[in-house]
Amino acid sequence: MTENGFMYLPKLNQIDMRDIPLETFPSQVFKTTRFLRTVYADNYKLCCRQNLPDSFETGSCFAPVDEISSCYDLLRSDVYRVFLWLFCALSITGNTGCFLFRQLQKNVSVSGFSVFVTNLSISDLLMDVYLAIVVAADETYRSTYLWNDLRWRVSPMCKVAGFLSLLSSEVSAFIICLITLDRFIVLRFPFSEVRFQRRSASLACGLVWAVGITLAGVPLLPFMSEWEFYSQNGICIPLPITRKSFKGRAYSFGVMIVFNMVLFVFIAVGQVCIYWSVRMNSMDGSSTKKSKDIIIARRLATVVVSDFLCWFPVGMLSIMAAVGIPVPSEASVALVIFVLPLNSALNPFLYTFNLLLEKWNRAEEKRMLKKLELTSSVD
């Protein structure tokens, strides 16, 4: 569409541009068509007030609304902006604290569990970097996003942000699988020497990172350059939630929905096995061992449940969209803006801070027992 494409059609009354893959167009494209009354389009930007005649009623311009972005801002609502800032701050604080705590405890524990939790914190920190990039882009293009939408979505920074988001999600799911396997071996075979130590856990995490980088990097390969994988929306997440078709959607559905569902089925089966292992081990009469096993199992279960509550709605809505069932735009936005960032913000609190609380409670119990012993000896 050229700069003066409609200059010689001043009496144009109606225009239908549906089914036209229009991404770029000049500013104030319809300004010269003073008699324009109705517009049909597939690109919401054509219905922005900046492009329409001054006398045009915006309600007569029909185009799908972008659930996340607006004509002015990358994030169309201040509510989205506030929550992304909040989740970014909470997640950075929590995951950084978790990572530093595990590093300080490195010489104390030789088990693989600490290695897994440290790598989980690093993968969640990548999600924090992604959130920070999106927030920075929103600030950069504030009030001018209409003319920078395509430039941002195809930019290297958006691709980096999407890559980090997908890498974080996949590595987190893999590591939770490893943690589930590790806890099952420890609880089901407490006297066995076959278990994850620091070295074997580090090797397993290295393999997980290699697989995650491969899965997230495939859409960036040169022969996949036509894919709209990380550029389908302004926040660069390739979730196949909407019915809108885009190049690379089958890969997104296969990795983020089918593959993740398989992982979480494995995690769920592992959780059931851990539950029965805790019950069997608790029958040996050792109250100390029973209490410790239950605490470990409960800590792991809370993380698994939180991940399941975050990813199960994504899977269900994606399947609904794939079979043609309408998905409300509010549901898509809620998942992208509120649910997925919340997952990475919760993990460190459910792991390390819960562990710190347990240690503090045990220290308090010892202090109270010592106080009681001193009181009894005085009497």
Side-chain angles (χ1 to χ4, degrees), residues 78-162:
D78 287 335
V79 176
Y80 302 164
R81 195 169 292 113
V82 168
F83 272 90
L84 277 186
W85 273 104
L86 177 63
F87 290 145
C88 185
L90 285 176
S91 190
I92 288 176
T93 303
N95 286 299
T96 302
C98 177
F99 177 78
L100 294 176
F101 173 77
R102 293 290 170 180
Q103 293 305 302
L104 293 175
Q105 298 292 317
K106 184 166 60 174
N107 295 327
V108 177
S109 174
V110 295
S111 68
F113 182 78
S114 180
V115 176
F116 292 143
V117 176
T118 299
N119 279 269
L120 182 63
S121 299
I122 295 174
S123 68
D124 287 335
L125 273 172
L126 295 183
M127 183 65 75
D128 306 336
V129 176
Y130 157 76
L131 293 175
I133 292 175
V134 172
V135 169
D138 177 59
E139 291 295 326
T140 301
Y141 299 122
R142 184 71 65 86
S143 302
T144 63
Y145 186 69
L146 171 62
W147 312 119
N148 294 285
D149 170 57
L150 185 62
R151 179 187 304 173
W152 158 246
R153 288 191 288 113
V154 300
S155 68
M157 189 56 67
C158 182
K159 293 179 181 179
V160 169

Coordinates of all heavy atoms in Angstrom, one line a residue, residues 78-162:
D78 N -3.0 -0.9 32.0 CA -2.1 -0.6 33.1 C -2.1 -1.8 34.1 O -1.1 -2.0 34.8 CB -2.5 0.7 33.9 CG -2.2 1.9 33.1 OD1 -1.3 1.9 32.2 OD2 -2.9 3.0 33.3
V79 N -3.2 -2.5 34.1 CA -3.2 -3.7 35.0 C -2.2 -4.7 34.5 O -1.5 -5.3 35.4 CB -4.6 -4.3 35.0 CG1 -4.7 -5.6 35.8 CG2 -5.7 -3.4 35.5
Y80 N -2.1 -5.0 33.2 CA -1.1 -5.9 32.7 C 0.3 -5.4 33.1 O 1.2 -6.2 33.5 CB -1.1 -6.0 31.2 CG -2.5 -6.4 30.6 CD1 -2.8 -6.2 29.2 CD2 -3.4 -7.0 31.4 CE1 -4.0 -6.6 28.7 CE2 -4.6 -7.5 30.9 CZ -4.9 -7.2 29.5 OH -6.1 -7.6 29.0
R81 N 0.5 -4.1 32.9 CA 1.8 -3.5 33.2 C 2.2 -3.7 34.7 O 3.3 -4.1 35.0 CB 1.8 -2.0 32.8 CG 3.1 -1.4 32.6 CD 3.0 0.0 32.0 NE 2.6 -0.1 30.6 CZ 1.4 0.3 30.1 NH1 0.5 0.8 30.9 NH2 1.1 0.1 28.8
V82 N 1.3 -3.4 35.5 CA 1.6 -3.5 37.0 C 1.9 -4.9 37.4 O 2.8 -5.2 38.1 CB 0.4 -2.9 37.8 CG1 0.5 -3.3 39.3 CG2 0.3 -1.4 37.6
F83 N 1.1 -5.9 36.9 CA 1.3 -7.2 37.3 C 2.6 -7.8 36.7 O 3.3 -8.6 37.4 CB 0.1 -8.1 36.9 CG -1.0 -8.2 37.9 CD1 -2.0 -7.3 37.9 CD2 -0.9 -9.1 38.9 CE1 -3.0 -7.3 38.9 CE2 -1.9 -9.2 39.9 CZ -3.0 -8.3 39.9
L84 N 3.0 -7.4 35.5 CA 4.3 -7.9 35.0 C 5.4 -7.3 35.8 O 6.4 -8.0 36.0 CB 4.4 -7.4 33.5 CG 3.7 -8.4 32.5 CD1 4.1 -7.9 31.1 CD2 4.2 -9.8 32.7
W85 N 5.3 -6.0 36.2 CA 6.4 -5.5 37.0 C 6.4 -6.2 38.3 O 7.5 -6.5 38.9 CB 6.1 -4.0 37.3 CG 6.6 -3.0 36.3 CD1 5.9 -2.4 35.3 CD2 8.0 -2.6 36.1 NE1 6.8 -1.6 34.5 CE2 8.0 -1.7 35.0 CE3 9.2 -2.9 36.8 CZ2 9.2 -1.2 34.6 CZ3 10.4 -2.4 36.4 CH2 10.4 -1.5 35.3
L86 N 5.3 -6.5 38.9 CA 5.2 -7.2 40.2 C 5.8 -8.6 40.1 O 6.7 -9.0 41.0 CB 3.8 -7.2 40.7 CG 3.5 -8.0 42.0 CD1 4.2 -7.3 43.2 CD2 2.0 -8.1 42.3
F87 N 5.4 -9.4 39.1 CA 5.9 -10.7 39.0 C 7.4 -10.7 38.7 O 8.2 -11.6 39.2 CB 5.2 -11.5 37.9 CG 3.8 -11.8 38.2 CD1 2.8 -11.8 37.2 CD2 3.4 -12.1 39.5 CE1 1.4 -12.1 37.6 CE2 2.1 -12.4 39.8 CZ 1.1 -12.4 38.9
C88 N 7.8 -9.7 37.9 CA 9.3 -9.6 37.6 C 10.1 -9.4 38.8 O 11.1 -10.0 39.1 CB 9.5 -8.5 36.6 SG 11.2 -8.4 36.0
A89 N 9.6 -8.4 39.7 CA 10.3 -8.1 40.9 C 10.3 -9.3 41.9 O 11.4 -9.6 42.5 CB 9.7 -6.9 41.6
L90 N 9.2 -9.9 42.1 CA 9.1 -11.1 43.0 C 10.0 -12.2 42.5 O 10.7 -12.8 43.3 CB 7.6 -11.5 43.1 CG 6.7 -10.7 44.0 CD1 5.3 -11.2 43.9 CD2 7.1 -10.6 45.4
S91 N 9.9 -12.5 41.2 CA 10.6 -13.6 40.7 C 12.1 -13.4 40.8 O 12.9 -14.3 41.1 CB 10.2 -13.9 39.3 OG 10.7 -15.1 38.8
I92 N 12.6 -12.2 40.4 CA 14.0 -11.9 40.5 C 14.5 -12.0 41.9 O 15.6 -12.6 42.2 CB 14.3 -10.5 39.9 CG1 14.2 -10.5 38.4 CG2 15.7 -10.1 40.3 CD1 14.3 -9.2 37.8
T93 N 13.8 -11.5 42.9 CA 14.1 -11.5 44.3 C 14.2 -13.0 44.8 O 15.1 -13.4 45.4 CB 13.2 -10.7 45.1 OG1 13.1 -9.3 44.7 CG2 13.6 -10.7 46.6
G94 N 13.1 -13.7 44.5 CA 13.0 -15.1 45.0 C 14.1 -16.0 44.4 O 14.8 -16.7 45.1
N95 N 14.2 -16.0 43.1 CA 15.2 -16.9 42.4 C 16.6 -16.5 42.7 O 17.5 -17.4 42.9 CB 14.9 -16.9 40.9 CG 13.6 -17.7 40.6 OD1 13.5 -18.8 40.8 ND2 12.7 -17.0 40.0
T96 N 16.9 -15.2 42.8 CA 18.3 -14.8 43.2 C 18.6 -15.3 44.6 O 19.7 -15.8 44.9 CB 18.4 -13.3 43.1 OG1 18.1 -12.9 41.7 CG2 19.8 -12.9 43.4
G97 N 17.6 -15.1 45.5 CA 17.8 -15.5 46.9 C 18.0 -17.0 47.0 O 18.8 -17.5 47.7
C98 N 17.2 -17.8 46.2 CA 17.3 -19.2 46.2 C 18.7 -19.7 45.7 O 19.3 -20.5 46.3 CB 16.2 -19.8 45.3 SG 16.2 -21.6 45.1
F99 N 19.1 -19.0 44.6 CA 20.4 -19.4 44.0 C 21.6 -19.1 45.0 O 22.4 -20.0 45.2 CB 20.6 -18.6 42.7 CG 22.0 -18.9 42.1 CD1 22.2 -20.0 41.3 CD2 23.0 -18.0 42.2 CE1 23.4 -20.3 40.7 CE2 24.2 -18.2 41.6 CZ 24.4 -19.3 40.9
L100 N 21.6 -17.9 45.6 CA 22.6 -17.6 46.6 C 22.6 -18.5 47.8 O 23.6 -18.9 48.3 CB 22.5 -16.1 47.0 CG 22.7 -15.1 45.9 CD1 22.4 -13.7 46.4 CD2 24.1 -15.2 45.4
F101 N 21.4 -18.8 48.2 CA 21.3 -19.7 49.4 C 21.9 -21.1 49.1 O 22.6 -21.7 49.9 CB 19.8 -19.9 49.8 CG 19.6 -20.9 50.9 CD1 19.9 -20.6 52.2 CD2 19.1 -22.2 50.5 CE1 19.7 -21.6 53.2 CE2 18.8 -23.1 51.5 CZ 19.1 -22.8 52.8
R102 N 21.6 -21.6 47.9 CA 22.1 -22.9 47.5 C 23.6 -22.9 47.3 O 24.3 -23.9 47.6 CB 21.4 -23.4 46.2 CG 19.9 -23.7 46.4 CD 19.7 -24.9 47.2 NE 18.3 -25.1 47.5 CZ 17.8 -26.1 48.3 NH1 18.6 -27.0 48.7 NH2 16.5 -26.1 48.5
Q103 N 24.1 -21.8 46.8 CA 25.6 -21.7 46.7 C 26.3 -21.6 48.1 O 27.3 -22.2 48.2 CB 25.9 -20.4 45.9 CG 25.5 -20.4 44.5 CD 26.0 -21.7 43.7 OE1 27.2 -21.9 43.6 NE2 25.1 -22.5 43.2
L104 N 25.7 -21.0 49.0 CA 26.2 -20.9 50.4 C 26.2 -22.3 51.0 O 27.0 -22.6 51.9 CB 25.5 -19.9 51.2 CG 25.7 -18.4 50.8 CD1 24.8 -17.5 51.6 CD2 27.1 -18.0 50.9
Q105 N 25.2 -23.1 50.6 CA 25.0 -24.4 51.2 C 25.7 -25.5 50.4 O 25.6 -26.7 50.7 CB 23.5 -24.8 51.3 CG 22.7 -23.9 52.2 CD 23.1 -24.0 53.6 OE1 23.2 -25.1 54.1 NE2 23.2 -22.9 54.3
K106 N 26.5 -25.1 49.4 CA 27.1 -26.1 48.5 C 28.0 -27.1 49.2 O 28.1 -28.3 48.9 CB 27.9 -25.4 47.4 CG 28.5 -26.3 46.4 CD 28.9 -25.5 45.1 CE 30.0 -24.5 45.5 NZ 30.5 -23.9 44.2
N107 N 28.8 -26.7 50.2 CA 29.7 -27.5 50.9 C 29.0 -28.4 51.9 O 29.7 -29.3 52.5 CB 30.8 -26.7 51.6 CG 31.7 -26.0 50.6 OD1 31.9 -26.5 49.5 ND2 32.2 -24.8 50.9
V108 N 27.8 -28.1 52.2 CA 27.1 -28.9 53.2 C 26.4 -30.1 52.6 O 26.5 -31.2 53.2 CB 26.0 -28.0 53.9 CG1 25.2 -28.8 54.9 CG2 26.7 -26.8 54.6
S109 N 25.8 -30.0 51.5 CA 25.1 -31.1 50.9 C 25.8 -31.6 49.7 O 26.3 -30.9 48.8 CB 23.7 -30.6 50.5 OG 23.0 -31.6 49.8
V110 N 25.9 -33.0 49.6 CA 26.5 -33.6 48.4 C 25.4 -34.3 47.6 O 25.7 -35.0 46.6 CB 27.5 -34.6 48.8 CG1 28.7 -33.9 49.5 CG2 27.0 -35.7 49.7
S111 N 24.1 -34.1 47.9 CA 23.0 -34.8 47.2 C 22.7 -34.0 45.9 O 23.1 -32.8 45.7 CB 21.8 -34.8 48.1 OG 21.3 -33.5 48.3
G112 N 22.1 -34.7 45.0 CA 21.7 -34.1 43.7 C 20.5 -33.2 43.8 O 20.3 -32.3 43.0
F113 N 19.7 -33.3 44.9 CA 18.6 -32.4 45.1 C 18.9 -31.0 45.1 O 18.3 -30.1 44.4 CB 17.9 -32.8 46.4 CG 16.6 -32.0 46.6 CD1 15.4 -32.3 46.0 CD2 16.6 -30.9 47.5 CE1 14.3 -31.6 46.2 CE2 15.4 -30.2 47.8 CZ 14.3 -30.6 47.1
S114 N 20.0 -30.6 45.7 CA 20.5 -29.2 45.8 C 20.9 -28.7 44.4 O 20.6 -27.6 44.0 CB 21.6 -29.0 46.8 OG 22.1 -27.7 46.8
V115 N 21.5 -29.6 43.6 CA 21.9 -29.2 42.2 C 20.6 -29.0 41.4 O 20.6 -28.0 40.6 CB 22.7 -30.3 41.6 CG1 23.1 -30.0 40.2 CG2 24.0 -30.5 42.4
F116 N 19.6 -29.8 41.5 CA 18.4 -29.6 40.8 C 17.7 -28.3 41.1 O 17.3 -27.6 40.2 CB 17.5 -30.8 41.0 CG 18.0 -32.1 40.5 CD1 17.8 -33.3 41.2 CD2 18.7 -32.2 39.3 CE1 18.2 -34.5 40.7 CE2 19.1 -33.4 38.8 CZ 18.9 -34.6 39.5
V117 N 17.6 -28.0 42.4 CA 16.9 -26.8 42.8 C 17.7 -25.6 42.3 O 17.1 -24.6 41.9 CB 16.7 -26.8 44.3 CG1 16.1 -25.5 44.7 CG2 15.8 -27.9 44.7
T118 N 19.0 -25.6 42.3 CA 19.8 -24.5 41.9 C 19.6 -24.3 40.4 O 19.4 -23.1 39.9 CB 21.3 -24.8 42.1 OG1 21.6 -24.9 43.5 CG2 22.2 -23.6 41.6
N119 N 19.6 -25.3 39.6 CA 19.3 -25.2 38.1 C 17.9 -24.7 37.9 O 17.6 -24.0 36.9 CB 19.6 -26.5 37.4 CG 21.0 -26.8 37.2 OD1 21.5 -26.4 36.1 ND2 21.7 -27.4 38.1
L120 N 16.9 -25.2 38.7 CA 15.6 -24.7 38.6 C 15.5 -23.2 38.8 O 14.8 -22.5 38.1 CB 14.6 -25.4 39.6 CG 13.2 -25.1 39.5 CD1 12.6 -25.5 38.1 CD2 12.4 -25.7 40.6
S121 N 16.3 -22.7 39.8 CA 16.3 -21.2 40.0 C 16.9 -20.5 38.8 O 16.4 -19.4 38.5 CB 17.1 -20.9 41.3 OG 16.6 -21.6 42.4
I122 N 17.9 -21.1 38.2 CA 18.5 -20.4 37.1 C 17.6 -20.4 35.9 O 17.4 -19.4 35.2 CB 19.8 -21.2 36.6 CG1 20.9 -21.1 37.8 CG2 20.4 -20.6 35.3 CD1 22.1 -21.9 37.5
S123 N 16.8 -21.5 35.7 CA 15.9 -21.5 34.6 C 14.7 -20.5 34.8 O 14.3 -19.8 33.9 CB 15.3 -22.9 34.4 OG 14.5 -23.3 35.5
D124 N 14.3 -20.4 36.1 CA 13.3 -19.4 36.4 C 13.8 -17.9 36.3 O 13.1 -17.0 36.0 CB 12.7 -19.6 37.8 CG 11.8 -20.8 37.9 OD1 11.2 -21.2 36.8 OD2 11.7 -21.4 38.9
L125 N 15.1 -17.7 36.5 CA 15.7 -16.4 36.3 C 15.7 -16.0 34.9 O 15.6 -14.8 34.6 CB 17.2 -16.4 36.8 CG 17.4 -16.1 38.3 CD1 18.8 -16.4 38.7 CD2 16.9 -14.7 38.7
L126 N 15.8 -17.0 34.0 CA 15.6 -16.6 32.5 C 14.3 -16.1 32.2 O 14.1 -15.2 31.4 CB 15.9 -17.9 31.7 CG 17.3 -18.5 31.8 CD1 17.4 -19.7 30.8 CD2 18.4 -17.4 31.4
M127 N 13.2 -16.6 32.9 CA 11.9 -16.0 32.7 C 11.9 -14.6 33.2 O 11.2 -13.7 32.7 CB 10.9 -16.9 33.5 CG 9.4 -16.4 33.3 SD 8.8 -16.6 31.6 CE 8.6 -18.3 31.4
D128 N 12.6 -14.3 34.3 CA 12.7 -12.9 34.8 C 13.3 -12.0 33.8 O 12.9 -10.9 33.6 CB 13.5 -12.9 36.1 CG 13.0 -13.9 37.1 OD1 11.8 -14.2 37.1 OD2 13.8 -14.3 38.0
V129 N 14.4 -12.5 33.1 CA 15.0 -11.7 32.1 C 14.0 -11.4 30.9 O 13.9 -10.3 30.4 CB 16.3 -12.4 31.5 CG1 16.9 -11.6 30.3 CG2 17.3 -12.6 32.6
Y130 N 13.2 -12.4 30.6 CA 12.2 -12.3 29.5 C 11.2 -11.2 30.0 O 10.9 -10.3 29.2 CB 11.5 -13.6 29.3 CG 10.1 -13.4 28.7 CD1 9.9 -13.1 27.4 CD2 9.0 -13.5 29.5 CE1 8.7 -12.9 26.8 CE2 7.7 -13.3 29.0 CZ 7.6 -13.0 27.7 OH 6.3 -12.8 27.1
L131 N 10.7 -11.3 31.2 CA 9.8 -10.3 31.7 C 10.4 -8.9 31.7 O 9.7 -7.9 31.3 CB 9.3 -10.6 33.1 CG 8.5 -11.9 33.3 CD1 8.2 -12.2 34.7 CD2 7.2 -11.8 32.5
A132 N 11.6 -8.8 32.0 CA 12.3 -7.4 32.0 C 12.4 -6.9 30.6 O 12.2 -5.7 30.4 CB 13.7 -7.6 32.7
I133 N 12.7 -7.7 29.6 CA 12.7 -7.3 28.2 C 11.4 -6.8 27.8 O 11.3 -5.7 27.1 CB 13.2 -8.4 27.3 CG1 14.7 -8.8 27.6 CG2 13.1 -8.1 25.9 CD1 15.2 -10.0 26.9
V134 N 10.3 -7.5 28.1 CA 9.0 -7.1 27.6 C 8.6 -5.8 28.3 O 8.1 -4.8 27.6 CB 7.9 -8.2 28.0 CG1 6.5 -7.7 27.7 CG2 8.2 -9.4 27.1
V135 N 8.9 -5.6 29.6 CA 8.6 -4.4 30.3 C 9.4 -3.2 29.7 O 8.8 -2.1 29.5 CB 8.8 -4.5 31.8 CG1 8.8 -3.2 32.5 CG2 7.8 -5.5 32.4
A136 N 10.6 -3.4 29.4 CA 11.5 -2.4 28.8 C 10.9 -2.0 27.4 O 10.9 -0.8 27.1 CB 12.9 -2.9 28.7
A137 N 10.5 -3.0 26.6 CA 10.0 -2.7 25.3 C 8.7 -1.9 25.4 O 8.4 -0.9 24.6 CB 9.7 -4.0 24.5
D138 N 7.9 -2.2 26.4 CA 6.6 -1.5 26.6 C 6.9 0.0 27.0 O 6.2 0.9 26.5 CB 5.8 -2.1 27.7 CG 4.5 -1.4 28.1 OD1 3.7 -1.2 27.2 OD2 4.4 -0.9 29.2
E139 N 7.9 0.2 27.8 CA 8.3 1.6 28.1 C 8.9 2.3 26.9 O 8.7 3.5 26.7 CB 9.3 1.6 29.3 CG 8.7 1.1 30.6 CD 7.7 2.1 31.1 OE1 7.8 3.3 30.9 OE2 6.7 1.6 31.8
T140 N 9.7 1.6 26.1 CA 10.3 2.2 25.0 C 9.3 2.7 23.9 O 9.5 3.8 23.3 CB 11.3 1.2 24.3 OG1 12.3 0.8 25.3 CG2 12.0 1.9 23.1
Y141 N 8.3 1.9 23.7 CA 7.3 2.2 22.6 C 6.0 2.8 23.2 O 5.0 2.8 22.5 CB 7.0 1.0 21.8 CG 8.2 0.4 21.1 CD1 8.6 -0.9 21.4 CD2 9.0 1.1 20.2 CE1 9.7 -1.5 20.8 CE2 10.1 0.6 19.6 CZ 10.4 -0.7 19.9 OH 11.5 -1.3 19.2
R142 N 6.1 3.4 24.4 CA 4.9 4.0 25.0 C 4.3 5.1 24.1 O 5.1 6.0 23.7 CB 5.2 4.5 26.4 CG 4.0 5.1 27.1 CD 3.1 3.9 27.6 NE 3.8 3.1 28.5 CZ 3.8 3.3 29.8 NH1 3.2 4.3 30.3 NH2 4.4 2.4 30.6
S143 N 3.1 5.0 23.7 CA 2.3 6.0 22.9 C 2.7 6.0 21.5 O 2.1 6.7 20.7 CB 2.5 7.4 23.5 OG 2.1 7.5 24.8
T144 N 3.6 5.1 21.0 CA 4.0 5.1 19.6 C 4.0 3.7 19.1 O 4.6 3.4 18.0 CB 5.4 5.7 19.4 OG1 6.4 4.9 20.1 CG2 5.5 7.1 19.9
Y145 N 3.4 2.7 19.8 CA 3.5 1.3 19.4 C 2.9 1.0 18.1 O 3.4 0.1 17.4 CB 2.9 0.5 20.5 CG 3.1 -1.0 20.3 CD1 4.4 -1.6 20.4 CD2 2.0 -1.9 19.9 CE1 4.6 -2.9 20.2 CE2 2.2 -3.2 19.6 CZ 3.5 -3.7 19.8 OH 3.7 -5.1 19.5
L146 N 1.9 1.8 17.7 CA 1.3 1.5 16.4 C 2.3 1.5 15.2 O 2.2 0.6 14.4 CB 0.2 2.6 16.1 CG -0.4 2.6 14.7 CD1 -1.2 1.3 14.4 CD2 -1.3 3.8 14.5
W147 N 3.3 2.4 15.2 CA 4.2 2.5 14.2 C 5.5 1.6 14.4 O 6.4 1.6 13.6 CB 4.6 3.9 13.9 CG 3.5 4.8 13.9 CD1 3.2 5.9 14.7 CD2 2.4 4.8 13.0 NE1 2.0 6.5 14.4 CE2 1.5 5.8 13.3 CE3 2.1 3.9 11.9 CZ2 0.3 6.0 12.6 CZ3 0.9 4.2 11.2 CH2 0.0 5.2 11.5
N148 N 5.5 1.0 15.6 CA 6.7 0.1 15.9 C 6.3 -1.3 16.1 O 7.2 -2.1 16.5 CB 7.4 0.7 17.1 CG 8.0 2.1 16.9 OD1 9.0 2.2 16.2 ND2 7.4 3.1 17.4
D149 N 5.1 -1.7 16.0 CA 4.6 -3.0 16.3 C 5.4 -4.1 15.5 O 6.1 -5.0 16.1 CB 3.1 -3.2 16.0 CG 2.7 -4.6 16.1 OD1 2.8 -5.2 17.1 OD2 2.1 -5.1 15.1
L150 N 5.4 -4.0 14.2 CA 6.1 -5.0 13.3 C 7.6 -4.9 13.6 O 8.3 -6.0 13.6 CB 5.8 -4.7 11.9 CG 6.3 -5.8 10.9 CD1 5.8 -7.2 11.2 CD2 6.1 -5.4 9.5
R151 N 8.2 -3.7 13.7 CA 9.6 -3.6 14.0 C 10.0 -4.3 15.2 O 11.0 -5.0 15.3 CB 9.9 -2.1 14.0 CG 11.4 -1.8 14.3 CD 11.7 -0.4 14.6 NE 11.2 0.4 13.4 CZ 11.2 1.8 13.5 NH1 11.6 2.4 14.5 NH2 10.7 2.5 12.4
W152 N 9.2 -4.2 16.3 CA 9.5 -4.9 17.5 C 9.3 -6.4 17.4 O 10.2 -7.1 17.8 CB 8.6 -4.3 18.7 CG 8.5 -5.3 19.8 CD1 7.3 -5.9 20.2 CD2 9.5 -5.7 20.7 NE1 7.6 -6.7 21.3 CE2 8.9 -6.6 21.6 CE3 10.9 -5.4 20.8 CZ2 9.7 -7.2 22.7 CZ3 11.6 -6.0 21.8 CH2 11.0 -6.9 22.7
R153 N 8.3 -6.8 16.8 CA 8.0 -8.3 16.8 C 9.0 -9.1 15.9 O 9.2 -10.2 16.2 CB 6.6 -8.5 16.3 CG 5.5 -8.1 17.3 CD 4.1 -8.6 16.9 NE 3.5 -7.9 15.8 CZ 3.3 -8.4 14.6 NH1 3.6 -9.7 14.3 NH2 2.8 -7.7 13.6
V154 N 9.6 -8.4 14.9 CA 10.6 -9.1 14.1 C 12.0 -8.8 14.5 O 13.0 -9.3 13.9 CB 10.4 -8.8 12.6 CG1 9.0 -9.2 12.1 CG2 10.6 -7.3 12.3
S155 N 12.1 -8.0 15.6 CA 13.5 -7.6 16.0 C 14.2 -8.8 16.7 O 13.6 -9.7 17.3 CB 13.4 -6.4 17.0 OG 12.7 -6.9 18.2
P156 N 15.5 -8.7 16.7 CA 16.3 -9.8 17.4 C 16.0 -9.8 18.9 O 16.0 -10.9 19.5 CB 17.8 -9.3 17.2 CG 17.7 -8.5 15.9 CD 16.4 -7.8 15.9
M157 N 15.7 -8.7 19.5 CA 15.4 -8.6 21.0 C 14.2 -9.4 21.3 O 14.1 -10.1 22.3 CB 15.3 -7.2 21.4 CG 15.3 -7.1 23.0 SD 16.7 -7.9 23.8 CE 18.0 -6.8 23.3
C158 N 13.1 -9.3 20.4 CA 11.9 -10.0 20.7 C 12.2 -11.5 20.5 O 11.6 -12.4 21.3 CB 10.8 -9.6 19.7 SG 9.2 -10.4 19.9
K159 N 13.0 -11.9 19.6 CA 13.3 -13.3 19.4 C 14.1 -13.8 20.6 O 13.9 -15.0 21.0 CB 14.1 -13.5 18.1 CG 13.3 -13.2 16.8 CD 14.1 -13.4 15.6 CE 13.3 -13.1 14.3 NZ 14.1 -13.2 13.1
V160 N 15.0 -13.0 21.1 CA 15.8 -13.4 22.3 C 14.8 -13.6 23.5 O 14.9 -14.6 24.2 CB 16.9 -12.4 22.6 CG1 17.5 -12.6 24.0 CG2 18.0 -12.4 21.6
A161 N 13.9 -12.7 23.6 CA 12.9 -12.8 24.7 C 12.1 -14.1 24.6 O 11.9 -14.8 25.6 CB 12.0 -11.6 24.7
G162 N 11.6 -14.3 23.4 CA 10.8 -15.6 23.2 C 11.6 -16.8 23.4 O 11.2 -17.8 24.0

